[in-house]
Coordinates of all heavy atoms in Angstrom, one line a residue:
M1 N 134.4 89.5 85.7 CA 135.6 90.1 86.0 C 136.6 89.0 86.5 O 137.8 89.0 86.1 CB 135.6 91.3 87.0 CG 134.9 92.5 86.2 SD 135.0 94.0 87.0 CE 136.7 94.4 87.0
L2 N 136.1 88.1 87.3 CA 136.9 87.1 87.9 C 137.3 86.1 86.8 O 138.4 85.6 86.8 CB 136.1 86.2 89.0 CG 135.9 86.9 90.4 CD1 134.9 86.1 91.2 CD2 137.1 87.2 91.0
R3 N 136.4 85.8 85.8 CA 136.8 85.0 84.7 C 137.9 85.6 83.9 O 138.8 84.9 83.5 CB 135.6 84.8 83.8 CG 135.8 83.8 82.7 CD 134.4 83.4 82.1 NE 133.6 84.5 81.7 CZ 133.7 85.3 80.5 NH1 134.6 84.9 79.7 NH2 133.0 86.3 80.3
L4 N 138.0 87.0 83.8 CA 139.1 87.6 83.1 C 140.2 87.8 84.0 O 141.2 88.5 83.7 CB 138.7 88.9 82.5 CG 137.5 88.9 81.5 CD1 136.9 90.2 81.2 CD2 138.0 88.1 80.2
R5 N 140.2 87.3 85.2 CA 141.2 87.4 86.2 C 141.5 89.0 86.7 O 142.6 89.5 86.7 CB 142.5 86.8 85.7 CG 142.4 85.4 85.7 CD 143.7 84.6 85.4 NE 143.5 83.3 85.0 CZ 144.3 82.5 84.4 NH1 145.4 83.0 83.9 NH2 144.1 81.2 84.2
L6 N 140.4 89.7 86.7 CA 140.5 91.1 87.0 C 139.9 91.3 88.5 O 139.1 90.5 88.9 CB 139.6 92.0 86.1 CG 140.0 91.9 84.7 CD1 139.1 92.6 83.8 CD2 141.4 92.6 84.5
N7 N 140.4 92.2 89.1 CA 140.0 92.5 90.5 C 138.6 93.1 90.5 O 138.4 94.2 89.9 CB 140.9 93.5 91.1 CG 140.5 94.0 92.6 OD1 139.5 93.5 93.1 ND2 141.4 94.8 93.2
P8 N 137.6 92.4 91.0 CA 136.2 92.8 91.0 C 136.0 94.1 91.7 O 134.9 94.8 91.5 CB 135.4 91.6 91.6 CG 136.4 90.9 92.4 CD 137.8 91.1 91.8
E9 N 136.9 94.4 92.7 CA 136.7 95.7 93.4 C 137.3 96.9 92.6 O 137.0 98.1 93.0 CB 137.6 95.6 94.7 CG 137.0 94.5 95.6 CD 135.5 94.9 95.9 OE1 135.2 95.9 96.2 OE2 134.8 93.8 95.9
S10 N 138.0 96.7 91.5 CA 138.6 97.8 90.7 C 137.4 98.5 90.0 O 136.6 97.8 89.4 CB 139.6 97.2 89.7 OG 140.1 98.3 88.8
P11 N 137.5 99.9 90.0 CA 136.4 100.6 89.3 C 136.6 100.8 87.8 O 135.8 101.5 87.2 CB 136.5 102.0 90.1 CG 137.9 102.1 90.5 CD 138.4 100.7 90.8
A12 N 137.7 100.2 87.3 CA 137.9 100.4 85.9 C 138.8 99.3 85.3 O 139.5 98.7 86.0 CB 138.7 101.7 85.5
F13 N 138.6 99.0 84.0 CA 139.5 98.1 83.3 C 139.4 98.3 81.9 O 138.5 98.9 81.3 CB 139.2 96.6 83.8 CG 137.9 96.0 83.2 CD1 137.9 95.4 82.0 CD2 136.8 96.2 83.9 CE1 136.7 94.9 81.4 CE2 135.5 95.8 83.4 CZ 135.5 95.0 82.2
T14 N 140.5 97.8 81.2 CA 140.5 98.0 79.7 C 140.7 96.6 79.1 O 141.4 95.8 79.5 CB 141.8 98.7 79.4 OG1 141.7 100.1 79.9 CG2 142.1 98.8 77.9
A15 N 139.8 96.4 78.1 CA 139.9 95.2 77.3 C 140.6 95.5 76.1 O 140.0 96.1 75.1 CB 138.5 94.6 77.0
V16 N 141.9 95.2 76.0 CA 142.7 95.7 74.9 C 142.4 95.1 73.6 O 142.3 95.8 72.5 CB 144.3 95.4 75.3 CG1 145.2 95.8 74.2 CG2 144.7 96.2 76.6
D17 N 141.9 93.9 73.7 CA 141.7 93.2 72.5 C 140.5 93.8 71.7 O 140.5 93.8 70.5 CB 141.3 91.7 72.7 CG 142.6 90.9 73.1 OD1 143.6 91.5 73.1 OD2 142.4 89.8 73.6
V18 N 139.6 94.4 72.3 CA 138.4 95.0 71.7 C 138.5 96.5 71.7 O 137.4 97.2 71.4 CB 137.1 94.5 72.3 CG1 136.9 92.9 71.9 CG2 137.0 94.6 73.8
H19 N 139.6 97.0 72.3 CA 139.9 98.5 72.4 C 138.7 99.2 73.1 O 138.2 100.2 72.7 CB 139.9 99.1 70.8 CG 141.0 98.4 70.1 ND1 140.9 98.2 68.7 CD2 142.2 97.9 70.5 CE1 141.9 97.6 68.2 NE2 142.7 97.4 69.2
E20 N 138.4 98.7 74.3 CA 137.4 99.3 75.1 C 137.8 99.4 76.6 O 138.5 98.5 77.1 CB 136.0 98.6 75.0 CG 135.4 98.6 73.7 CD 134.0 98.1 73.8 OE1 133.3 98.4 74.7 OE2 133.6 97.4 72.8
T21 N 137.6 100.5 77.1 CA 137.8 100.7 78.7 C 136.5 101.0 79.3 O 135.6 101.7 78.7 CB 138.8 101.9 78.8 OG1 140.0 101.6 78.3 CG2 138.9 102.4 80.2
F22 N 136.4 100.3 80.4 CA 135.2 100.4 81.2 C 135.5 101.0 82.4 O 136.4 100.8 83.2 CB 134.6 98.9 81.3 CG 134.3 98.2 80.1 CD1 135.3 97.4 79.4 CD2 133.1 98.2 79.6 CE1 135.1 96.8 78.3 CE2 132.8 97.5 78.4 CZ 133.7 96.8 77.8
L23 N 134.6 102.0 82.8 CA 134.8 102.8 84.0 C 133.4 102.5 84.9 O 132.2 102.6 84.2 CB 134.8 104.2 83.8 CG 136.1 104.7 83.0 CD1 136.0 106.2 82.7 CD2 137.4 104.4 83.9
E24 N 133.6 102.2 86.1 CA 132.4 102.0 86.9 C 131.5 103.3 87.0 O 132.1 104.5 87.1 CB 132.9 101.7 88.3 CG 131.7 101.3 89.3 CD 132.2 100.9 90.6 OE1 133.0 100.1 90.8 OE2 131.5 101.4 91.6
E25 N 130.3 103.3 86.8 CA 129.4 104.4 86.7 C 129.6 105.3 88.1 O 129.5 106.5 87.9 CB 127.9 103.9 86.8 CG 127.0 105.0 86.6 CD 125.5 104.5 86.7 OE1 125.3 103.2 86.8 OE2 124.5 105.1 86.4
S26 N 130.0 104.7 89.1 CA 130.1 105.5 90.4 C 131.2 106.5 90.3 O 131.3 107.5 91.0 CB 130.4 104.6 91.6 OG 129.3 103.7 91.8
L27 N 132.3 106.3 89.3 CA 133.2 107.3 89.1 C 132.7 108.6 88.6 O 133.3 109.7 88.8 CB 134.3 106.7 88.3 CG 135.3 105.7 88.9 CD1 136.1 105.1 87.8 CD2 136.0 106.2 90.1
I28 N 131.7 108.5 87.9 CA 131.1 109.6 87.1 C 129.8 110.1 87.7 O 129.6 111.4 87.8 CB 130.9 109.2 85.6 CG1 132.3 108.9 84.9 CG2 130.2 110.3 84.7 CD1 132.3 107.9 83.9
T29 N 129.0 109.3 88.0 CA 127.8 109.6 88.8 C 127.7 108.9 90.1 O 127.1 107.8 90.2 CB 126.5 109.1 87.9 OG1 126.7 109.6 86.6 CG2 125.3 109.8 88.5
P30 N 128.4 109.5 91.0 CA 128.7 108.7 92.4 C 127.3 108.6 93.1 O 126.4 109.4 93.1 CB 129.6 109.5 93.1 CG 129.7 110.9 92.4 CD 129.1 110.8 91.1
N31 N 127.2 107.4 93.7 CA 126.2 107.3 94.8 C 127.0 107.4 96.0 O 128.0 106.8 96.2 CB 125.3 106.0 94.6 CG 126.0 104.8 95.0 OD1 126.4 104.6 96.1 ND2 126.1 103.8 94.0
P32 N 126.4 107.9 97.1 CA 127.2 108.2 98.3 C 127.9 106.9 98.9 O 129.1 107.1 99.3 CB 126.2 108.8 99.3 CG 125.0 109.3 98.3 CD 125.0 108.4 97.2
E33 N 127.2 105.8 99.0 CA 127.6 104.7 99.6 C 128.8 104.0 98.8 O 129.9 103.8 99.5 CB 126.6 103.5 99.7 CG 127.0 102.4 100.5 CD 125.9 101.4 100.7 OE1 124.6 101.7 100.6 OE2 126.2 100.2 100.7
R34 N 128.8 104.0 97.6 CA 129.9 103.4 96.8 C 131.1 104.4 96.6 O 132.2 104.0 96.8 CB 129.4 103.1 95.3 CG 130.5 102.5 94.4 CD 131.1 101.2 95.0 NE 132.0 100.6 94.0 CZ 133.0 99.9 94.3 NH1 133.2 99.6 95.6 NH2 133.9 99.5 93.5
A35 N 130.7 105.7 96.7 CA 131.8 106.8 96.7 C 132.5 106.6 97.9 O 133.8 106.7 97.9 CB 131.2 108.1 96.6
R36 N 131.9 106.4 99.1 CA 132.7 106.3 100.4 C 133.6 105.0 100.3 O 134.7 105.0 100.7 CB 131.6 106.1 101.5 CG 132.3 106.3 102.9 CD 131.2 106.5 104.1 NE 129.9 106.0 103.8 CZ 128.7 106.6 103.4 NH1 128.8 108.0 103.3 NH2 127.6 106.1 103.3
E37 N 133.0 104.0 99.8 CA 133.8 102.7 99.6 C 135.0 102.9 98.8 O 136.1 102.5 99.3 CB 133.0 101.6 98.9 CG 132.0 100.8 99.8 CD 131.2 99.8 99.0 OE1 131.6 99.4 97.8 OE2 130.1 99.5 99.5
L38 N 134.8 103.5 97.7 CA 136.0 103.7 96.8 C 137.0 104.7 97.4 O 138.2 104.4 97.4 CB 135.5 104.3 95.5 CG 134.8 103.4 94.5 CD1 134.1 104.1 93.4 CD2 135.7 102.3 94.0
M39 N 136.5 105.7 98.0 CA 137.5 106.8 98.6 C 138.2 106.1 99.8 O 139.5 106.3 100.0 CB 136.7 108.0 99.0 CG 136.3 108.8 98.0 SD 135.7 110.4 98.4 CE 134.1 110.0 99.2
N40 N 137.5 105.2 100.6 CA 138.2 104.4 101.7 C 139.3 103.5 101.1 O 140.3 103.3 101.6 CB 137.2 103.7 102.6 CG 136.4 104.7 103.5 OD1 137.0 105.8 103.7 ND2 135.4 104.2 104.0
A41 N 138.9 102.8 100.0 CA 139.8 101.6 99.5 C 141.0 102.4 98.9 O 142.1 101.7 98.9 CB 139.0 100.9 98.4
F42 N 140.9 103.5 98.2 CA 142.0 104.0 97.5 C 142.6 105.3 98.2 O 143.7 105.7 97.8 CB 141.6 104.6 96.1 CG 141.3 103.3 95.2 CD1 140.0 102.8 95.1 CD2 142.3 102.8 94.5 CE1 139.8 101.6 94.3 CE2 142.1 101.7 93.7 CZ 140.8 101.0 93.6
G43 N 142.0 105.7 99.3 CA 142.5 106.8 100.1 C 142.7 108.2 99.4 O 143.5 109.0 99.7
I44 N 141.8 108.4 98.3 CA 141.8 109.6 97.6 C 140.4 110.1 97.3 O 139.5 109.3 97.5 CB 142.7 109.6 96.4 CG1 142.2 108.4 95.4 CG2 144.2 109.5 96.6 CD1 143.0 108.3 94.1
S45 N 140.3 111.3 96.9 CA 138.9 111.8 96.6 C 138.4 111.2 95.3 O 139.1 110.6 94.5 CB 138.9 113.3 96.4 OG 139.5 113.7 95.1
L46 N 137.1 111.1 95.1 CA 136.5 110.5 93.8 C 137.1 111.2 92.8 O 137.3 110.6 91.6 CB 135.0 110.7 93.9 CG 134.3 109.5 93.3 CD1 134.7 108.2 94.0 CD2 132.8 109.6 93.4
D47 N 137.3 112.5 92.6 CA 137.8 113.3 91.4 C 139.2 112.8 91.1 O 139.5 112.6 90.0 CB 137.9 114.8 91.7 CG 136.5 115.4 91.5 OD1 135.6 114.8 90.9 OD2 136.3 116.6 91.9
E48 N 140.0 112.7 92.1 CA 141.4 112.1 92.0 C 141.3 110.7 91.5 O 142.1 110.3 90.7 CB 142.2 112.2 93.3 CG 142.4 113.6 93.8 CD 143.0 113.6 95.2 OE1 142.5 113.0 96.1 OE2 144.0 114.4 95.4
L49 N 140.4 109.9 92.0 CA 140.3 108.5 91.6 C 139.9 108.4 90.2 O 140.4 107.5 89.4 CB 139.3 107.7 92.5 CG 139.2 106.2 92.3 CD1 140.5 105.5 92.3 CD2 138.1 105.7 93.1
L50 N 139.0 109.3 89.7 CA 138.7 109.3 88.2 C 139.8 109.6 87.4 O 140.1 108.9 86.4 CB 137.5 110.3 88.0 CG 137.0 110.4 86.6 CD1 136.5 109.1 86.0 CD2 135.9 111.5 86.4
D51 N 140.6 110.6 87.8 CA 141.9 111.0 87.0 C 142.9 109.7 87.1 O 143.4 109.4 86.0 CB 142.6 112.1 87.7 CG 141.9 113.4 87.3 OD1 141.0 113.5 86.5 OD2 142.3 114.5 87.9
L52 N 142.9 109.1 88.2 CA 143.9 108.0 88.4 C 143.4 106.9 87.4 O 144.3 106.3 86.7 CB 144.0 107.5 89.8 CG 144.8 106.4 90.2 CD1 146.2 107.0 90.1 CD2 144.5 105.8 91.5
A53 N 142.2 106.5 87.4 CA 141.5 105.5 86.7 C 141.8 105.6 85.2 O 142.2 104.8 84.4 CB 140.1 105.2 87.1
V54 N 141.3 106.9 84.8 CA 141.5 107.2 83.3 C 142.9 107.1 82.8 O 143.3 106.6 81.8 CB 140.8 108.5 83.0 CG1 141.2 109.0 81.6 CG2 139.3 108.4 83.2
T55 N 143.8 107.8 83.6 CA 145.3 107.8 83.1 C 145.8 106.4 83.3 O 146.6 106.0 82.3 CB 146.0 108.8 83.9 OG1 145.9 108.6 85.3 CG2 145.6 110.3 83.6
H56 N 145.5 105.6 84.3 CA 146.0 104.3 84.4 C 145.5 103.4 83.2 O 146.3 102.7 82.6 CB 145.5 103.7 85.7 CG 146.0 102.2 85.8 ND1 147.2 101.9 86.5 CD2 145.5 101.1 85.5 CE1 147.4 100.6 86.5 NE2 146.3 100.0 85.9
E57 N 144.3 103.5 82.8 CA 143.7 102.7 81.8 C 144.3 103.2 80.4 O 144.5 102.4 79.4 CB 142.2 102.8 81.8 CG 141.6 102.2 83.0 CD 142.0 100.7 83.3 OE1 142.3 99.9 82.5 OE2 142.3 100.5 84.6
L58 N 144.5 104.5 80.3 CA 145.2 105.0 79.0 C 146.6 104.4 79.0 O 147.1 104.1 77.9 CB 145.3 106.5 79.1 CG 144.1 107.3 78.7 CD1 144.2 108.8 78.9 CD2 143.8 107.1 77.2
G59 N 147.3 104.2 80.2 CA 148.5 103.5 80.2 C 148.4 102.1 79.6 O 149.3 101.7 78.8
H60 N 147.3 101.4 80.0 CA 147.2 100.1 79.4 C 147.0 100.2 77.8 O 147.5 99.4 77.1 CB 145.9 99.3 80.0 CG 146.2 98.8 81.3 ND1 147.1 97.7 81.5 CD2 145.7 98.9 82.5 CE1 147.3 97.3 82.8 NE2 146.4 98.1 83.4
A61 N 146.2 101.1 77.4 CA 145.9 101.3 75.9 C 147.2 101.6 75.2 O 147.5 101.1 74.3 CB 144.8 102.5 75.8
I62 N 148.0 102.6 75.8 CA 149.2 102.9 75.1 C 150.2 101.9 75.1 O 150.9 101.8 74.0 CB 149.8 104.2 75.9 CG1 149.0 105.5 75.7 CG2 151.2 104.5 75.4 CD1 149.3 106.7 76.5
C63 N 150.2 101.0 76.1 CA 151.1 99.9 76.2 C 150.5 98.6 75.7 O 151.0 97.5 75.8 CB 151.6 99.7 77.6 SG 152.5 101.0 78.3
H64 N 149.4 98.7 75.0 CA 148.7 97.6 74.3 C 148.6 96.5 75.3 O 148.9 95.3 75.2 CB 149.4 97.0 73.2 CG 149.5 98.1 72.1 ND1 148.7 98.4 71.3 CD2 150.7 98.9 71.8 CE1 149.1 99.4 70.5 NE2 150.3 99.7 70.8
G65 N 148.0 96.8 76.5 CA 148.0 95.9 77.6 C 149.0 96.2 78.7 O 148.7 96.9 79.6
G66 N 150.2 95.8 78.4 CA 151.3 96.0 79.3 C 151.1 95.4 80.7 O 150.0 94.9 81.0
S67 N 152.1 95.6 81.6 CA 152.0 95.2 82.8 C 151.3 96.3 83.7 O 151.1 97.5 83.3 CB 153.3 94.9 83.5 OG 154.0 96.1 83.5
E68 N 150.9 95.9 84.9 CA 150.3 97.0 85.9 C 151.4 98.1 86.1 O 151.0 99.3 86.2 CB 149.9 96.4 87.1 CG 148.7 95.5 87.1 CD 147.4 96.3 86.4 OE1 147.2 97.4 86.8 OE2 146.9 95.6 85.5
F69 N 152.7 97.6 86.1 CA 153.7 98.6 86.5 C 153.8 99.6 85.2 O 153.9 100.8 85.5 CB 155.1 97.9 86.6 CG 156.3 98.8 86.6 CD1 156.6 99.3 87.9 CD2 157.0 99.1 85.6 CE1 157.6 100.2 88.0 CE2 158.1 100.0 85.7 CZ 158.4 100.6 86.9
Q70 N 153.8 99.1 84.0 CA 153.9 99.9 82.8 C 152.7 100.9 82.7 O 152.9 102.1 82.4 CB 154.0 99.1 81.6 CG 155.3 98.4 81.4 CD 155.3 97.5 80.2 OE1 154.4 96.6 80.0 NE2 156.3 97.6 79.4
A71 N 151.5 100.4 83.0 CA 150.3 101.2 82.9 C 150.3 102.3 83.9 O 150.0 103.4 83.6 CB 149.0 100.4 83.2
E72 N 150.9 102.0 85.1 CA 150.9 103.0 86.2 C 152.0 104.1 85.9 O 151.8 105.2 86.2 CB 151.0 102.4 87.7 CG 150.8 103.3 88.7 CD 149.5 104.3 88.5 OE1 148.5 103.8 88.1 OE2 149.8 105.6 88.8
L73 N 153.1 103.6 85.2 CA 154.1 104.5 85.1 C 153.7 105.5 84.0 O 153.9 106.7 84.1 CB 155.4 103.7 84.5 CG 156.7 104.5 84.2 CD1 157.3 105.2 85.5 CD2 157.7 103.6 83.6
V74 N 153.0 104.9 82.9 CA 152.5 105.9 81.9 C 151.5 106.7 82.5 O 151.4 108.0 82.2 CB 152.0 105.0 80.6 CG1 151.2 105.9 79.7 CG2 153.1 104.4 80.0
G75 N 150.6 106.1 83.3 CA 149.6 106.9 83.8 C 150.1 108.1 84.7 O 149.6 109.3 84.7
S76 N 151.2 107.8 85.5 CA 151.7 108.9 86.3 C 152.4 110.0 85.5 O 152.3 111.2 85.8 CB 152.7 108.3 87.3 OG 153.8 107.8 86.7
R77 N 152.9 109.7 84.4 CA 153.5 110.6 83.5 C 152.4 111.5 82.9 O 152.6 112.8 82.7 CB 154.4 109.9 82.4 CG 155.5 109.2 82.9 CD 156.8 110.0 82.8 NE 157.8 109.5 83.8 CZ 158.6 108.4 83.5 NH1 158.5 107.8 82.4 NH2 159.4 108.0 84.4
L78 N 151.3 110.8 82.5 CA 150.2 111.6 81.9 C 149.7 112.6 83.0 O 149.3 113.7 82.6 CB 149.0 110.7 81.5 CG 149.2 109.9 80.2 CD1 148.2 108.7 80.1 CD2 149.4 110.8 79.0
R79 N 149.5 112.2 84.2 CA 149.0 113.0 85.2 C 149.9 114.2 85.5 O 149.6 115.3 86.0 CB 148.8 112.3 86.5 CG 147.6 111.2 86.5 CD 147.2 110.7 87.8 NE 148.2 109.9 88.4 CZ 148.4 108.6 88.1 NH1 147.7 107.9 87.2 NH2 149.3 107.8 88.7
E80 N 151.3 114.0 85.1 CA 152.3 115.1 85.3 C 152.2 116.1 84.0 O 153.0 117.0 84.0 CB 153.7 114.5 85.4 CG 154.0 113.8 86.7 CD 155.1 112.9 86.7 OE1 156.0 113.0 85.7 OE2 155.4 112.2 87.7
G81 N 151.3 115.7 83.0 CA 151.2 116.6 81.9 C 152.2 116.1 80.8 O 152.4 116.9 79.8
L82 N 152.8 115.0 80.9 CA 153.8 114.6 79.9 C 153.2 113.8 79.0 O 152.0 113.3 79.1 CB 154.9 113.9 80.7 CG 155.7 114.6 81.7 CD1 156.7 113.7 82.5 CD2 156.4 115.8 81.1
H83 N 153.9 113.4 77.8 CA 153.3 112.6 76.8 C 154.2 111.4 76.6 O 155.1 111.2 75.8 CB 153.3 113.4 75.4 CG 152.5 114.6 75.5 ND1 151.1 114.6 75.2 CD2 152.9 115.9 75.8 CE1 150.6 115.8 75.3 NE2 151.7 116.6 75.7
P84 N 154.0 110.4 77.5 CA 154.8 109.2 77.6 C 154.6 108.1 76.5 O 153.5 108.0 76.0 CB 154.6 108.7 78.9 CG 153.1 109.0 79.2 CD 152.8 110.3 78.5
G85 N 155.7 107.4 76.1 CA 155.4 106.3 75.4 C 155.6 105.1 76.3 O 155.4 105.3 77.4
C86 N 155.6 103.9 75.7 CA 155.6 102.8 76.6 C 157.0 102.0 76.5 O 157.1 100.9 76.6 CB 154.4 101.8 76.2 SG 154.2 100.6 77.3
A87 N 158.1 102.9 76.3 CA 159.3 102.2 76.1 C 160.0 101.7 77.4 O 160.7 100.7 77.4 CB 160.3 103.2 75.5
E88 N 159.5 102.3 78.6 CA 160.1 101.8 79.8 C 159.6 100.4 80.2 O 158.5 100.1 80.1 CB 159.9 102.8 80.9 CG 160.7 104.0 80.8 CD 159.9 105.3 80.7 OE1 158.8 105.3 80.1 OE2 160.3 106.3 81.4
K89 N 160.6 99.7 80.6 CA 160.2 98.3 81.0 C 160.2 98.2 82.5 O 160.9 99.0 83.2 CB 161.2 97.3 80.4 CG 161.1 97.2 78.9 CD 159.9 96.7 78.3 CE 159.9 96.7 76.9 NZ 158.6 96.8 76.3
Q90 N 159.6 97.1 83.1 CA 159.6 97.0 84.4 C 161.1 96.7 85.0 O 161.9 96.0 84.3 CB 158.8 95.7 84.7 CG 158.5 95.6 86.3 CD 157.3 94.7 86.4 OE1 156.6 94.3 85.5 NE2 156.8 94.5 87.7
P91 N 161.5 97.4 86.1 CA 162.9 97.0 86.5 C 163.1 95.5 86.8 O 162.2 94.8 87.2 CB 162.9 97.7 87.9 CG 161.6 98.4 88.1 CD 160.7 98.1 87.0
V92 N 164.3 95.1 86.4 CA 164.6 93.6 86.6 C 164.8 93.4 88.1 O 165.6 94.0 88.8 CB 165.9 93.3 85.7 CG1 166.3 91.8 86.0 CG2 165.6 93.5 84.3
S93 N 164.3 92.3 88.5 CA 164.4 92.0 90.0 C 165.7 91.1 90.1 O 166.0 90.3 89.2 CB 163.2 91.1 90.4 OG 163.5 90.5 91.7
H94 N 166.4 91.5 91.1 CA 167.6 90.6 91.2 C 167.6 89.5 92.2 O 168.5 89.0 92.8 CB 168.7 91.6 91.6 CG 169.1 92.5 90.5 ND1 169.7 92.1 89.3 CD2 168.9 93.8 90.3 CE1 169.9 93.1 88.5 NE2 169.4 94.2 89.1
E95 N 166.2 89.1 92.6 CA 166.1 88.1 93.6 C 166.0 86.8 93.0 O 165.6 86.6 91.8 CB 164.9 88.5 94.4 CG 164.9 89.7 95.3 CD 163.7 90.1 96.0 OE1 163.3 89.2 96.8 OE2 163.2 91.2 95.7
Ligands
ZN101 ZN1 145.8 98.1 85.4

């Protein structure tokens, strides 16, 4: 994951080029120690974290990679029950 410049603490990632999303086993079959680590790191329950991870990674898939901002925007719309596209761009910084 470091070689791919991904956060090794993240429980999920999408390899857009090969059309695959990887979810850490602990999201689906939790072991108590890792579940506690993940819930502490993200501040939400494991069920909520699974929803967050799947919708965020779907955001990357829908945006063909996209930025973290775009993936999270699409993910949040999916969690709201909407059917987002990937048209929205990251706000332009004026700094
Ligand atoms: Zn992401």
Side-chain angles (χ1 to χ4, degrees):
M1 291 187 70
L2 288 172
R3 189 168 45 85
L4 296 171
R5 296 186 187 158
L6 298 169
N7 179 356
E9 297 303 315
S10 176
F13 67 95
T14 296
V16 174
D17 294 349
V18 293
H19 304 147
E20 290 191 42
T21 293
F22 299 86
L23 298 172
E24 183 178 317
E25 184 180 9
S26 299
L27 288 173
I28 294 148
T29 310
N31 77 59
E33 188 176 329
R34 181 61 176 151
R36 194 168 29 254
E37 280 178 16
L38 289 170
M39 288 188 290
N40 285 341
F42 290 89
I44 54 179
S45 75
L46 215 55
D47 281 349
E48 291 170 316
L49 184 56
L50 178 59
D51 282 350
L52 183 76
V54 169
T55 53
H56 178 91
E57 297 309 320
L58 278 169
H60 279 301
I62 289 168
C63 294
H64 305 283
S67 66
E68 290 306 313
F69 176 85
Q70 287 174 311
E72 192 42 43
L73 184 61
V74 170
S76 69
R77 298 263 159 84
L78 288 170
R79 291 190 294 279
E80 293 167 5
L82 303 173
H83 300 273
C86 194
E88 284 126 318
K89 298 292 182 211
Q90 194 160 357
V92 176
S93 170
H94 295 289
E95 294 178 59

